[in-house]
Amino acid sequence: MSKELLRVEGLKVHFPIRTGGILIGQYTPLKAVDGVSFTLNEGETLGIVGESGCGKSTLGRAVLQLIKPTDGQVVFMGSELTGVGAEVIRQKRADMQIVFQDPLASLNPRMTVGDIIGEPLTVFFPKMKAEERKEKVRALMAKVGLLPQMINRYPHEFSGGQCQRIGIARAMILNPKLVICDEPVSALDVSIQAQIVNLLMDLQQEFGLSLMFISHDLSVVRHVSHRVMVLYLGKVMEIATRDAIYAAPLHPYTQALISAVPVPDPDIEKNKQRIVLGGDLPSPMNPPSGCVFRTRCPRATDICAQEVPVLEEKAPGHRVACHHWGLPEQKLV
Amino acid sequence: MTAVLEVRDLKVRFATPDGEVSAVNGVSFDVNEGECVGIVGESGSGKSQLFMSVMGLLAKNGRTLGSAKYRGTELVGMPVKALNKIRGDKIAMIFQDSMTGLTPHLRIGKQMTEVLVQHKGMSEADARKRALEMLNLVRIPEAGRRLAQYPHELSGGMRQRIMIAMALLCEPELLIADEPTTALDVTVQAQILDLMADLKTVTKAAIVLITHDLGTVAGLCDKVQVMYGGRFMETGTVQEIFYKPAHPYTAGLLASMPRLTEERQEKLYAIPGQPPNLQRLPKACPFQERCTYVHDRCIDELPVLRQVGDANATLTGHTKACHLVSLQNPVSAPHAPSINVAADEARSA
Ligand SMILES: Nc1ncnc2c1ncn2[C@@H]1O[C@H](COP(=O)(O)OP(=O)(O)OP(=O)(O)O)[C@@H](O)[C@H]1O
Ligand SMILES: Nc1ncnc2c1ncn2[C@@H]1O[C@H](COP(=O)(O)OP(=O)(O)O)[C@@H](O)[C@H]1O
Ligand code: SF4
Ligand code: SF4
Ligand SMILES: [Mg+2]
Ligand SMILES: [Mg+2]
């Protein structure tokens, strides 16, 4: 049994949004993350899927304490991160890093690649000699597939895929335990996506990394993840092992998501009966009562409008939040 | 089959301070009545600019060379006034970002009726009736109420549907959809794909679907043209392209996509290297720097589109621009497209 690295319990991030007039000063909470719980083991990848605005990025940032959670607990390597001083978090941050979606925008345009990748070393090991730092940076550049002789170049001289390699090298330089990948391949071309996915999986193997892999691409998530968590409007709909999520999803939203994925196979794609959900995502400012998915759910009944379904274990290691959970009635892919 | 659009040796060049950008480098194809043609390629491969040039919508620093004919009438170099008669009426376009396709300060109803009054000379009342019909066709809930709304008051999915409705208003003969679902969420994308599949049978318009997503193409298109470095690498029916890819780039793209319909693999096949720089395209095959099967001839001689399996036939059916004779079992062994280099006989001799 591998060791638990991260435990998140009842995590909430509510952004106060001004809704009244300027003088009245009325605020409504936008519940970006609303009571999320999960664990992550050493060397494990947890895929996090859901549509735009469901709180994936906010969750990632709240775990790293880049955003202060409104409520709930984050326990990392046995110590509590919520409600502790800035210095404690700073120390822990060496072990938790993040890779962002937009490769170029996330890199400082005025810094050389060497300085960008080496910056965490400057922060955490200010006494390290410049030459030693450069040596570490060069070694890592080679490892992530960048030419070490490009160490003095600037980000704009690199392609999107290369910028993502720079971002990954920077995240890896302190040899962290956890890397949160926030849509790391979404902005990349198909042919480059596979390169970056392979790189992340190779690094995980070599260093025993744990990954939180945030993505809206269910095919990529299946490829990289050991377990998968499905979010909708800030809440966990379902969490289970990869095989359970894809072969036997129990939540109607997960089923619709899987069925929505276009498959690059004309015979399958042209003949498939897709589950098409009605309507649009509700505003997170004004989520539906009861189950947040009920306005689009094909199985919704009266109880769904009245009672919030609790996330409960329905099969070993398989938790679902739905009053009418069960296997899909049709073939999904 | 009658061609709605005939494109011959079309090129697009952009003048920039650091040199000329060769965005499209000589492509020829027809779009026939009632057909749905997919244009696939990575970002920067020239998909959008190819059709922007056909529509006369290139940026100021761009110019078009070659020919693009709509029902026999040359569009390249056509005066704007004459072009405007065709654009939006006979040929309509849908963009990735629904905000660019809609005028922000005009109510939906006004935008839709204006087109009909202008192009079809309809009365305001008739135009309104037709606009409502179209909104219902694209399954906009509470269509009547939407006519009074502004674009920003609608969700992205709804705006995309309105763009489709607007594009179909004048019953165009050719509909060009540039990444129509790329900006949308998965479940909303599913709604739009479902809608487009239905519209294909309802409207008689030929459709060009520009996308980087092979899954979308598989579901909607009859024919596919794969672009790379501003050229077509391979063309064929969806069946040919997806089940018998003949170009190393197509085979590599297909192999590098993880699929929900297949056993999960431990490792993804990845095409090595980076997309080409359009300011410094290699002299011969644009894919040479990334191709596992590159050989001397690829560096010296530009491969032109030839019929797969028949090096002498040009531009019919399944074609590829590659010097190799055959690619073997690329789909049954998706992780390493095995290619028969040895059989690359001097066939053009
Ligand atoms: N600083 C903020 N202030 C107010 N609202 C915010 C803030 N950051 C995020 N939100 C809101 O919180 C919700 C969740 O946002 P988040 O960025 O986590 O979504 P996401 O799942 O990452 O979406 P995407 O797939 O688009 O990246 C959204 O409704 C968003 O508008
Ligand atoms: N106005 C412009 N000036 C210079 N280069 C341009 C201009 N517009 C497009 N390009 C370039 O042309 C190439 C093809 O662009 P495009 O057709 O939009 O690609 P895509 O296949 O992603 O749709 C890209 O390299 C792009 O940067
Ligand atoms: S609780 Fe009801 S509305 Fe929510 S997912 Fe289950 S069936 Fe659908
Ligand atoms: S022509 Fe040569 S380099 Fe180009 S795709 Fe064919 S084998 Fe590869
Ligand atoms: Mg996000
Ligand atoms: Mg484009």
Side-chain angles (χ1 to χ4, degrees):
Chain A
M1 198 50 205
S2 38
K3 248 177 77 194
E4 178 182 294
L5 179 79
L6 173 72
R7 183 157 42 88
V8 171
E9 264 172 48
L11 197 72
K12 291 187 182 175
V13 181
H14 294 184
F15 294 109
I17 302 290
R18 189 187 279 270
T19 41
I22 297 174
L23 294 174
I24 311 165
Q26 219 172 34
Y27 290 90
T28 308
L30 185 155
K31 300 174 179 173
V33 175
D34 200 24
V36 169
S37 306
F38 64 91
T39 59
L40 180 65
N41 287 338
E42 284 179 0
E44 188 185 37
T45 300
L46 177 68
I48 298 173
V49 299
E51 296 175 275
S52 186
C54 70
K56 306 181 294 294
S57 301
T58 307
L59 172 64
R61 284 170 176 75
V63 166
L64 293 183
Q65 305 295 313
L66 295 172
I67 298 176
K68 199 171 169 305
T70 311
D71 196 12
Q73 275 188 311
V74 176
V75 181
F76 180 66
M77 295 170 77
S79 44
E80 169 100 40
L81 295 186
T82 25
V84 301
E87 183 52 26
V88 181
I89 290 174
R90 204 187 78 90
Q91 286 306 324
K92 287 284 176 217
R93 202 159 276 152
D95 282 315
M96 352 167 33
Q97 296 290 324
I98 185 161
V99 173
F100 296 99
Q101 165 167 4
D102 187 341
L104 187 56
S106 61
L107 305 175
N108 184 338
R110 276 180 283 278
M111 282 168 77
T112 65
V113 167
D115 289 341
I116 290 173
I117 299 174
E119 191 182 31
L121 289 174
T122 347
V123 174
F124 282 90
F125 304 97
K127 294 209 189 73
M128 185 183 282
K129 295 246 170 27
E131 218 14 75
E132 187 186 351
R133 193 170 62 235
K134 281 208 162 141
E135 223 17 78
K136 281 191 191 296
V137 169
R138 281 200 201 94
L140 196 53
M141 284 178 76
K143 183 143 263 153
V144 301
L146 292 165
L147 290 174
Q149 57 265 39
M150 299 184 84
I151 188 165
N152 292 320
R153 304 277 189 92
Y154 289 87
H156 72 262
E157 299 174 60
F158 292 85
S159 68
Q162 287 174 319
C163 286
Q164 203 54 293
R165 289 175 196 272
I166 297 169
I168 291 170
R170 179 192 158 91
M172 289 301 299
I173 193 102
L174 294 172
N175 205 354
K177 297 270 192 304
L178 169 68
V179 177
I180 296 183
C181 305
D182 190 355
E183 307 259 11
V185 298
S186 307
L188 304 177
D189 274 319
V190 186
S191 79
I192 308 297
Q193 279 189 9
Q195 296 176 359
I196 299 296
V197 163
N198 284 344
L199 171 63
L200 284 168
M201 292 177 81
D202 288 348
L203 291 171
Q204 170 168 53
Q205 278 277 312
E206 184 170 346
F207 299 101
L209 276 183
S210 302
L211 300 176
M212 273 170 71
F213 191 94
I214 298 173
S215 176
H216 62 268
D217 183 332
L218 273 86
S219 312
V220 171
V221 166
R222 170 171 175 256
H223 183 77
V224 301
S225 309
H226 301 102
R227 281 189 304 136
V228 178
M229 174 160 86
V230 181
L231 295 180
Y232 189 81
L233 287 190
K235 288 189 191 293
V236 181
M237 298 288 106
E238 182 163 14
I239 179 168
T241 61
R242 167 187 69 225
D243 292 344
I245 284 281
Y246 287 93
L250 297 176
H251 196 286
Y253 179 57
T254 313
Q255 293 163 9
L257 276 182
I258 292 173
S259 155
V261 177
V263 185
D265 187 318
D267 286 347
I268 296 176
E269 195 59 24
K270 289 203 162 106
N271 296 313
K272 133 169 154 188
Q273 282 299 315
R274 219 185 269 293
I275 302 177
V276 177
L277 297 178
D280 291 307
L281 285 161
S283 155
M285 293 277 295
N286 186 16
S289 66
C291 172
V292 284
F293 182 55
R294 74 174 162 85
T295 51
R296 305 176 72 202
C297 181
R299 287 191 212 162
T301 59
D302 290 348
I303 186 181
C304 305
Q306 284 137 27
E307 278 175 40
V308 179
V310 184
L311 186 70
E312 284 171 340
E313 188 154 30
K314 303 297 183 191
H318 193 151
R319 290 190 293 153
V320 187
C322 173
H323 295 303
H324 307 300
W325 61 277
L327 289 170
E329 277 127 43
Q330 63 176 84
K331 213 168 158 265
L332 297 179
V333 285
Chain B
M1 266 183 289
T2 319
V4 182
L5 183 71
E6 289 165 283
V7 175
R8 291 295 174 269
D9 199 25
L10 197 88
K11 297 185 173 122
V12 176
R13 299 283 177 268
F14 290 104
T16 73
D18 29 86
E20 194 174 58
V21 175
S22 309
V24 179
N25 299 304
V27 298
S28 303
F29 62 97
D30 291 351
V31 179
N32 295 317
E33 282 176 354
E35 217 169 48
C36 180
V37 180
I39 310 283
V40 291
E42 299 180 75
S43 76
S45 59
K47 309 179 293 295
S48 299
Q49 299 313 320
L50 165 56
F51 287 92
M52 292 301 260
S53 80
V54 167
M55 296 285 278
L57 294 173
L58 283 187
K60 280 214 175 62
N61 62 334
R63 69 200 161 92
T64 306
L65 307 165
S67 157
K69 287 185 178 157
Y70 161 73
R71 296 240 181 243
T73 310
E74 183 61 66
L75 297 175
V76 177
M78 185 184 258
V80 178
K81 233 181 162 168
L83 253 184
N84 276 341
K85 281 228 171 79
I86 297 179
R87 288 193 297 224
D89 185 13
K90 304 290 187 199
I91 310 180
M93 198 156 174
I94 304 171
F95 299 92
Q96 167 170 355
D97 172 10
S98 51
M99 272 320 221
T100 37
L102 299 171
T103 318
H105 59 270
L106 273 187
R107 293 181 201 273
I108 301 298
K110 186 79 191 151
Q111 310 203 22
M112 295 184 81
T113 52
E114 212 164 54
V115 180
L116 290 168
V117 173
Q118 210 176 9
H119 282 298
K120 298 279 177 207
M122 277 191 191
S123 71
E124 207 37 67
D126 285 351
R128 215 183 139 77
K129 223 175 101 211
R130 169 111 182 111
L132 260 180
E133 269 170 37
M134 291 318 291
L135 290 185
N136 283 324
L137 180 69
V138 298
R139 304 179 202 142
I140 296 267
E142 305 169 79
R145 199 161 68 78
R146 305 296 171 194
L147 291 175
Q149 287 186 309
Y150 291 97
H152 70 89
E153 296 175 296
L154 305 169
S155 71
M158 203 117 61
R159 279 203 299 268
Q160 204 57 302
R161 265 179 247 218
I162 288 185
M163 272 228 293
I164 296 175
M166 287 198 41
L168 296 176
L169 270 180
C170 296
E171 301 186 308
E173 295 185 29
L174 177 61
L175 177 66
I176 301 168
D178 190 353
E179 309 264 7
T181 60
T182 306
L184 304 175
D185 269 316
V186 210
T187 59
V188 182
Q189 167 176 314
Q191 296 169 351
I192 301 289
L193 292 180
D194 197 54
L195 170 68
M196 290 192 53
D198 284 357
L199 289 179
K200 251 179 65 174
T201 54
V202 178
T203 74
K204 291 174 291 283
I207 300 176
V208 170
L209 178 71
I210 303 173
T211 177
H212 67 277
D213 181 12
L214 288 158
T216 307
V217 169
L220 288 176
C221 299
D222 310 311
K223 290 201 316 199
V224 188
Q225 296 167 345
V226 182
M227 271 188 104
Y228 190 83
R231 294 180 193 282
F232 287 165
M233 296 290 102
E234 183 166 1
T235 73
T237 63
V238 268
Q239 307 285 330
E240 286 162 344
I241 296 290
F242 283 83
Y243 299 134
K244 286 186 227 119
H247 193 286
Y249 175 60
T250 317
L253 267 189
L254 285 167
S256 63
M257 300 181 70
R259 299 170 186 221
L260 293 188
T261 45
E262 270 167 28
E263 284 283 297
R264 182 180 163 275
Q265 306 291 335
E266 280 314 310
K267 203 151 182 87
L268 282 180
Y269 172 76
I271 301 176
Q274 315 288 332
N277 179 337
L278 297 181
Q279 271 157 309
R280 288 189 294 276
L281 276 175
K283 172 169 136 260
C285 177
F287 191 55
Q288 59 179 262
E289 283 155 10
R290 306 177 71 186
C291 184
T292 331
Y293 308 96
V294 58
H295 48 294
D296 290 347
R297 198 171 160 205
C298 314
I299 295 156
D300 297 332
E301 185 192 332
L302 180 73
V304 295
L305 277 179
R306 300 243 180 231
Q307 188 168 332
V308 171
D310 180 357
N312 297 315
T314 48
L315 281 179
T316 45
H318 189 187
T319 68
K320 67 168 178 184
C322 171
H323 293 309
L324 290 175
V325 163
S326 74
L327 254 170
Q328 276 159 6
N329 306 326
V331 171
S332 59
H335 316 292
S338 67
I339 293 175
N340 187 353
V341 185
D344 181 26
E345 61 217 8
R347 39 169 206 186
S348 67

